[in-house]
């Protein structure tokens, strides 16, 4: 399998969030608490999901782990290293693939090594990632010529080639159609199992979280808090129709008040 | 078919009709009649030119006769090319109505001036005299064109370089924007030509003051559009680049600048237009060389044939530079949707 060549060059690392708070000031001067004293540990090589309705602060949290935003208080560490600004050891992928439109697929994937000045020694690896993501025939295409799924795979390859210690996925498959999405879920799991990169997946999709992750962190909005952390002990590869899968699914729906026998309290919740 | 119905036909938007309109238009413009139209126009022009007596003095060498003959030969070659398949053939078929229009315009000009004398001399000389002037004064015209090009190139390069540097700085750095924008807003809208009295006393010679004026004219639009392009780079590109390990230089020159290129090129186009204007004004007011200066000099002697000759050269010269910039843009922005041409 092609994954042989992409054994982790960097050891994955654990992630520690302690009492993380984030408040925003609205235009009218009122303070909004986006995250309220959030504490969470993610083990090395673990894949966890953050789920919850819009406004529960999951994307804010991800941006803080990426170093793009700073917490109002509390601490974030990768291993023993405090997070201080963005860096190549924490890869981030958004729902919008955000490929650089002026670069070909190959050049997009090369961005990380080029930015770190190590492109010369990584050229062979670029080919490997093109092969891994099935993008070899499109290496010289521009992003606007790609389908949504191909663009997401290119964005994934671009994030992975840096061998991040932690991979942050912000609804990476949210904009894809159902079939492409399920295929991409398998793809991400396959790469993750080969690399064992510590991964934090933000998603709206309960099935996606159950299918892919070791643990699911269910969050509630205003202020953003952890409602519950649920272990998913189903063995891999998982099956979407496994009765235990469906049981866990029902449990999460219950927790989010979407089981059906009582009216939903939280508004603005996507599937 | 009258022009009005033709327009109605081509503008019909309802499905089916639009297709038919386009097909008809294509057929109409590439029919055999159109293929021979330029040659017919040139032959007609040549016949009239030779048969009708001159009612105005003509140029000694009768260059328009030669031009008509050359156009006739060229049109026949074009018609032959139009019969071949492939891209050159398609080009010839597509361009032959236009070629016919150009030939007819020149023929009409010849008739109105040399042959019928309906337009008064010395202000409206015929094509024969303009071509004659072009040939007779070729050395002075070539030298003027060279001087204009040199001044334009130096001024444009200086203005574009300064504009790019200022634009990136103002677009990227908040403090540069704080101080730079008010300055830009005060200095920018004044036409560069208004600084002529100042430029003439501030710089050691006319050439340098010309470069400064053109540079200033180019600098403003390039700065303005580069800075807005850099400031409007989608935050996601910068965020992604940061998480990929990009430092500041990489963020500015490998992310913000390429993302801003469409806007930068807009600035470069506006700058080129402003540069042409300023070049001619500078040459007529202070710099004693170049096409603008030649224009004013010949006008002083009422040698209008030379004036038209200089105008024709200017038009070739400026539209050539514009085309060059368009080509450069198409190459640089090949990644943009809709601009792609291989």
């Amino acid at each position: 399998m092609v994954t042989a060549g992409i054994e982790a060059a960097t050891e994955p690392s654990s992630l520690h969030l302690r009492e993380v708070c984030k408040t925003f000031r609205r235009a009218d001067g009122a303070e909004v608490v986006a995250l309220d004293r959030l504490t969470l540990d993610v083990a090395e090589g673990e894949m966890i999901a953050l789920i919850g309705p819009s406004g529960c602060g999951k994307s804010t949290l991800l941006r803080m782990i990426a170093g793009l935003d700073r917490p109002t208080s509390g601490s974030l560490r990768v291993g023993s290293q405090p997070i201080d600004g963005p860096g190549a050891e924490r890869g981030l992928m958004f729902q919008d693939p955000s490929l650089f439109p002026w670069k070909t697929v190959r050049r997009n994937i090369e961005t990380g090594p080029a930015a770190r000045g190590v492109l010369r020694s990584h050229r062979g690896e670029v080919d490997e990632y093109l092969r891994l993501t099935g993008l070899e025939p499109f290496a010289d295409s521009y992003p606007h010529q790609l389908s949504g799924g191909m663009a997401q795979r290119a964005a994934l390859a671009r994030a992975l080639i840096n061998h991040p210690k932690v991979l942050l996925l912000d609804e990476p498959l949210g904009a894809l159609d159902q079939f492409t999405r399920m295929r991409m879920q398998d793809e991400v799991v396959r790469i993750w199992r080969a690399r064992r990169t510590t991964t934090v997946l933000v998603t709206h999709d309960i099935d996606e979280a159950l299918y892919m992750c070791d643990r699911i962190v269910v969050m509630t909005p205003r202020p953003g808090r952890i409602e519950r952390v649920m272990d998913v002990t189903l063995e891999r590869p998982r099956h979407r129709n496994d009765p235990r899968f469906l049981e866990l699914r029902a449990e999460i729906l219950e927790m989010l008040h979407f089981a059906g026998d009582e009216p939903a309290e939280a508004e603005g919740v996507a599937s | 078919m009258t022009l009005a119905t033709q327009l109605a036909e081509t503008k019909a938007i309802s499905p089916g009709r639009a297709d038919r309109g386009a097909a008809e238009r294509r057929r109409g413009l590439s029919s055999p009649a159109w293929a021979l139209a330029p040659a017919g126009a040139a032959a007609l022009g040549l016949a009239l030119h030779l048969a009708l007596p001159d009612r105005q003095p003509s140029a000694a060498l009768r260059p328009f006769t030669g031009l008509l003959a050359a156009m006739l030969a060229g049109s026949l070659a074009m018609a032959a090319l139009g019969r071949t398949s492939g891209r050159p053939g398609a080009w010839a078929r597509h361009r032959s109505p236009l070629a016919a229009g150009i030939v007819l315009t020149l023929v009409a000009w010849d008739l109105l001036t040399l042959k019928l004398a309906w337009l008064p001399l010395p202000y409206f000389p015929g094509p024969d005299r303009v071509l004659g002037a072009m040939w007779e004064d070729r050395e002075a015209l070539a030298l003027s064109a060279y001087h204009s090009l040199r001044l334009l190139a130096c001024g444009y390069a200086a203005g574009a370089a300064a504009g790019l540097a200022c634009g990136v700085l103002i677009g990227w750095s908040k403090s540069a924007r704080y101080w730079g924008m008010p300055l830009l807003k005060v200095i920018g809208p004044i036409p560069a030509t208004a600084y002529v009295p100042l430029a003439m006393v501030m710089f050691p010679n006319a050439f340098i003051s010309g470069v400064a004026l053109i540079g200033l004219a180019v600098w403003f639009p390039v700065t303005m559009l580069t800075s807005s392009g850099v400031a409007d780079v989608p935050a996601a590109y910068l965020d992604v680049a940061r998480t990929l390990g990009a430092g500041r230089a990489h963020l500015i020159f490998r992310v913000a600048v390429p993302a801003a290129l469409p806007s930068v090129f807009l600035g470069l186009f506006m700058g080129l237009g402003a540069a042409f204007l300023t070049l001619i004004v500078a040459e007529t007011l202070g710099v004693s060389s170049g096409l603008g200066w030649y224009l004013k000099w010949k006008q002083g002697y009422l040698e209008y044939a030379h004036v038209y000759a200089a105008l024709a050269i200017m038009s070739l010269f400026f539209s050539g530079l514009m085309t060059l910039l368009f080509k450069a843009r198409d190459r640089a922005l090949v990644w943009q949707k809709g601009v792609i041409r291989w």
Side-chain angles (χ1 to χ4, degrees):
Chain A
M1 198 55 225
V2 281
T3 47
I6 54 149
E7 292 304 338
T10 316
E11 285 301 308
S13 200
S14 56
L15 188 62
H16 309 281
L17 317 178
R18 288 281 169 281
E19 300 271 320
V20 175
C21 290
K22 179 75 182 176
T23 52
F24 290 107
R25 194 177 288 280
R26 275 204 321 236
D28 60 10
E31 289 219 329
V32 178
V33 181
L35 281 173
D36 186 24
R37 281 165 294 141
L38 187 139
T39 295
L40 181 68
D41 292 290
V42 185
E44 294 170 14
E46 193 182 19
M47 170 144 31
I48 70 154
L50 301 179
I51 69 169
S54 323
C56 70
K58 36 190 205 312
S59 292
T60 308
L61 184 60
L62 214 62
R63 285 181 63 85
M64 286 195 288
I65 301 171
L68 295 170
D69 286 338
R70 285 172 192 286
T72 310
S73 64
S75 75
L76 300 98
R77 284 181 293 122
V78 169
S80 55
Q81 205 70 33
I83 291 172
D84 180 30
E89 84 278 4
R90 280 157 288 130
L92 176 64
M93 187 176 152
F94 295 110
Q95 174 171 351
D96 180 330
S98 299
L99 295 172
F100 303 118
W102 59 91
K103 290 183 175 187
T104 60
V105 169
R106 177 188 292 282
R107 295 236 169 256
N108 261 288
I109 295 173
E110 284 173 354
T111 304
R116 292 180 295 128
V118 295
L119 181 57
R120 203 176 285 268
S121 52
H122 282 65
R123 287 224 193 263
E125 221 176 333
V126 175
D127 289 315
E128 236 164 80
Y129 276 89
L130 281 167
R131 208 174 324 124
L132 175 73
T133 47
L135 286 167
E136 269 176 318
F138 302 97
D140 298 318
S141 300
Y142 284 96
H144 78 260
Q145 297 167 305
L146 304 180
S147 69
M150 287 195 283
Q152 278 301 6
R153 277 184 279 157
L156 186 64
R158 184 175 64 175
L160 286 173
I161 199 169
N162 266 350
H163 298 288
K165 291 176 175 173
V166 178
L167 183 61
L168 306 166
L169 305 174
D170 192 355
E171 293 180 50
L173 314 179
L176 303 179
D177 66 84
Q178 192 67 36
F179 301 105
T180 314
R181 187 176 182 144
M182 290 195 288
R183 229 185 1 260
M184 282 293 290
Q185 289 169 358
D186 287 331
E187 199 115 341
V188 173
V189 168
R190 182 169 64 83
I191 294 168
W192 169 75
R193 292 185 77 177
R195 290 270 299 261
R196 287 282 166 185
T197 303
T198 310
T199 303
V200 182
L201 170 73
V202 163
T203 180
H204 272 129
D205 183 341
I206 296 168
D207 287 4
E208 183 167 284
L210 278 168
Y211 186 71
M212 295 173 72
C213 296
D214 299 318
R215 275 194 301 158
I216 297 178
V217 177
V218 181
M219 295 176 67
T220 53
R222 283 175 286 267
R225 283 203 182 105
I226 294 180
E227 167 102 4
R228 210 180 126 182
V229 179
M230 181 187 263
D231 289 310
V232 184
T233 49
L234 304 172
E235 64 279 8
R236 297 172 188 270
R238 291 176 181 164
H239 298 282
R240 291 182 170 90
N241 288 324
D242 186 331
R244 284 181 301 152
F245 186 102
L246 298 173
E247 243 169 67
L248 285 170
R249 187 173 188 275
E251 203 177 315
I252 295 173
L253 284 173
E254 192 87 47
M255 208 181 305
L256 289 166
H257 311 291
F258 275 98
D261 46 10
E262 55 179 307
E265 282 169 38
E267 6 106 36
V269 183
S271 65
Chain B
M1 201 187 274
T2 67
L3 187 64
T5 54
Q6 223 165 6
L7 275 176
E9 188 74 20
T10 53
K11 283 193 174 162
I13 311 181
S14 61
R17 276 204 67 165
D19 281 355
R20 211 181 54 203
E24 248 171 31
R25 206 164 62 237
R26 254 198 314 279
R27 206 166 46 240
L29 283 180
S30 57
S31 69
W34 273 119
L36 287 172
L44 175 77
L46 192 58
L48 288 171
H49 184 73
L50 293 175
L52 294 174
D54 293 349
R55 298 181 62 179
Q56 282 179 352
S58 67
L61 288 164
R62 305 214 54 115
F64 190 58
T65 320
L67 182 68
L68 280 168
M71 287 194 301
L72 179 59
S75 309
L76 288 170
M78 197 169 167
L81 186 64
R83 293 181 65 84
T84 62
S85 53
R87 284 186 65 170
W91 174 85
R93 286 191 296 279
H94 179 62
R95 290 299 186 188
S96 69
L98 183 65
I102 293 168
V103 174
L104 279 177
T105 307
L106 289 172
V107 168
W109 179 19
D110 183 47
L111 290 177
L112 288 175
T113 52
L114 186 65
K115 299 299 173 185
L116 300 169
W118 285 3
L119 294 173
L121 282 177
Y123 307 109
F124 301 103
D128 198 59
R129 285 167 66 98
V130 172
L131 284 171
M134 222 181 262
W135 175 252
E136 174 200 307
D137 216 11
R138 58 191 179 279
E139 271 173 38
L141 278 166
L143 198 64
S144 297
Y146 164 71
H147 280 133
S148 285
L149 185 63
R150 201 178 56 172
L151 182 55
L152 185 74
C154 291
Y156 190 72
L164 286 171
C166 291
V168 169
L169 202 65
I170 291 174
W172 186 262
S173 145
K174 280 203 172 68
S175 57
R177 183 153 55 240
Y178 178 84
W179 295 107
M181 273 317 254
L183 190 70
L184 208 59
K185 278 183 184 155
V186 171
I187 297 179
I190 305 176
T193 48
Y195 292 106
V196 166
L198 214 61
M200 289 204 288
V201 295
M202 268 174 72
F203 297 100
N205 64 47
F207 182 77
I208 294 178
S209 56
V211 168
L213 281 177
I214 295 170
L216 186 66
V218 176
W219 169 81
F220 175 60
V222 174
T223 303
M224 213 55 188
L225 280 139
T226 302
S227 71
S228 77
V230 168
D232 291 345
V233 170
Y237 295 156
L238 297 171
D239 284 349
V240 164
R242 281 194 187 100
T243 63
L244 291 171
R248 194 158 67 165
H250 190 99
L251 288 175
I252 296 175
F253 295 108
R254 297 295 159 112
V255 181
V257 170
L261 267 191
S263 183
V264 170
F265 269 101
L266 214 57
L268 289 173
F269 277 111
M270 290 170 62
L272 191 57
F276 293 156
L277 177 74
T278 311
L279 171 75
I280 299 307
V281 173
E283 283 176 348
T284 41
L285 288 182
V287 185
S288 305
S289 62
L291 289 168
W293 164 81
Y294 181 92
L295 214 63
K296 199 186 163 211
W297 176 46
K298 290 298 177 185
Q299 186 228 346
Y301 288 96
L302 290 183
E303 290 187 328
Y304 272 82
H306 291 80
V307 169
Y308 286 97
L311 282 174
I313 287 169
M314 235 181 248
S315 137
L316 282 179
F317 172 43
F318 290 169
S319 70
L321 288 173
M322 269 294 174
T323 308
L324 220 61
L325 190 56
F326 267 110
K327 294 249 186 252
R329 185 202 61 174
D330 288 355
R331 262 187 102 90
L333 300 185
V334 71
W335 51 271
Q336 265 197 322
K337 220 172 185 165
V339 184
I340 299 216
R341 260 174 254 136
W342 276 295

